[in-house]
């Protein structure tokens, strides 16, 4: 069964610093890949998604992610973090070309931003 | 255009009771999926409804059941509540069965005492 690993439970960065959140997946083929953000008490908002093509994907709020097939990774990056980026970030996968298949989520990485 | 809405926002139940959570999908979406998010965890898939039928189910007991109405809204029912059922329950809607267009609601926080 597919699984998603987010190795960092909690990350703290200074405002204006760069950010990278790690995500590794376990699946036989390249799945659909997603990053969601969840602010306290809120639902999930889709930041970006990868299906195929260019391995560098641009999302909302200045985020981008890079798919690396050889490493089974889909890391999320932002060049300059804002205090409003403090939230929980979830990586998710769905098997490719399987149609009716739900998302499998990692356990999340909590991002704190300090002044 | 309203997004996915869920009700209630919060509720508190006692062990053994039954609960019903409600979800209205985003306009134009006909598929509803339910997820359970325990504290400190990622969401876990419960089941998915399309054309008023349960299409897929995650690893949850039969105490968890659902329904989809002709207007595509959905209910999640949990019987014989356990303390471990305390969680945030998220509803997601999508246009059809494809997984890549899921929009999430704000969730219902269920506390079982």
């Amino acid at each position: 069964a597919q699984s998603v690993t987010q190795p960092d439970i909690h990350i703290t960065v200074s405002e204006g610093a760069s950010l990278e959140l790690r995500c590794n997946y376990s699946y036989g083929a390249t799945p659909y890949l997603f990053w969601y953000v969840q602010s306290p008490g809120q639902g999930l908002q889709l930041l970006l998604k990868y299906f195929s093509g260019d391995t560098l994907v641009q999302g909302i709020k200045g985020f981008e992610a890079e798919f690396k097939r050889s490493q089974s990774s889909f890391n999320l990056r932002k060049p300059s973090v804002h205090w409003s980026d403090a939230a929980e970030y979830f990586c998710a996968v769905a098997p490719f070309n399987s149609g009716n298949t739900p998302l499998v989520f990692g356990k999340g990485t909590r991002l704190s931003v300090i002044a | 255009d309203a997004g996915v809405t869920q009700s209630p926002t919060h509720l508190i139940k006692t062990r053994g009771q039954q609960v019903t959570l409600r979800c209205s999908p985003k306009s134009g979406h006909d598929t509803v999926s339910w997820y359970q998010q325990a504290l400190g965890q990622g969401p876990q898939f419960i089941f998915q409804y399309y054309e008023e039928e349960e299409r897929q189910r995650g690893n949850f007991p039969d105490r968890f059941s659902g329904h989809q109405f002709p207007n595509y809204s959905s209910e999640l029912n949990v019987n014989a509540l356990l303390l471990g059922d305390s969680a945030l329950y998220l509803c997601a809607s999508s246009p059809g069965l494809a997984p890549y267009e899921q929009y999430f609601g704000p969730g219902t926080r269920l506390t079982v005492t």
Side-chain angles (χ1 to χ4, degrees), chain B residues 11-13 19 81 85-89 108-112:
Chain B
L11 75 166
I12 300 173
K13 291 287 188 178
V19 68
L81 284 167
D85 295 331
S86 296
L88 180 67
Y89 288 84
T108 294
R109 172 72 62 186
L110 172 64
T111 301
V112 183

Side-chain angles (χ1 to χ4, degrees), chain A residues 55-110:
Chain A
T55 57
L56 185 62
V57 180
Q58 301 298 319
I60 63 171
K61 304 185 179 187
F63 285 92
E64 66 178 26
E66 185 173 14
F67 167 60
K68 293 186 177 180
R69 185 189 308 273
S70 62
Q71 299 177 19
S72 296
S73 69
F74 188 55
N75 294 347
L76 182 71
R77 301 196 294 247
K78 186 170 185 178
S80 178
V81 169
H82 188 262
W83 64 267
S84 61
D85 293 325
E88 189 90 20
Y89 291 80
F90 293 94
C91 181
V93 305
F96 180 73
N97 269 349
S98 61
N100 181 18
T101 301
L103 297 172
V104 176
F105 286 86
K107 292 187 176 182
T109 297
R110 182 161 62 94

Side-chain angles (χ1 to χ4, degrees), chain B residues 4-98:
Chain B
V4 179
T5 59
Q6 293 185 242
S7 62
T9 304
H10 299 87
L11 75 166
I12 300 173
K13 291 287 188 178
T14 304
R15 274 181 301 175
Q17 286 188 317
Q18 179 265 343
V19 68
T20 297
L21 311 181
R22 296 176 175 82
C23 171
S24 292
K26 181 179 171 62
S27 178
H29 289 186
D30 56 7
T31 302
V32 172
S33 301
W34 287 92
Y35 292 80
Q36 181 196 64
Q37 185 179 16
L39 199 61
Q41 301 294 315
Q44 282 196 294
F45 175 72
I46 304 174
F47 44 54
Q48 181 184 68
Y49 277 84
Y50 174 70
E51 293 186 336
E52 301 181 49
E53 290 187 9
E54 183 181 294
R55 298 291 177 155
Q56 275 218 14
R57 188 179 185 91
N59 188 25
F60 279 80
D62 291 344
R63 297 187 297 108
F64 289 76
S65 63
H67 187 77
Q68 185 178 35
F69 299 94
N71 66 353
Y72 309 124
S73 66
S74 176
E75 287 182 349
L76 164 64
N77 301 292
V78 186
N79 295 321
L81 284 167
L82 304 174
L83 295 179
D85 295 331
S86 296
L88 180 67
Y89 288 84
L90 295 165
C91 171
S93 73
S94 57
L97 294 172

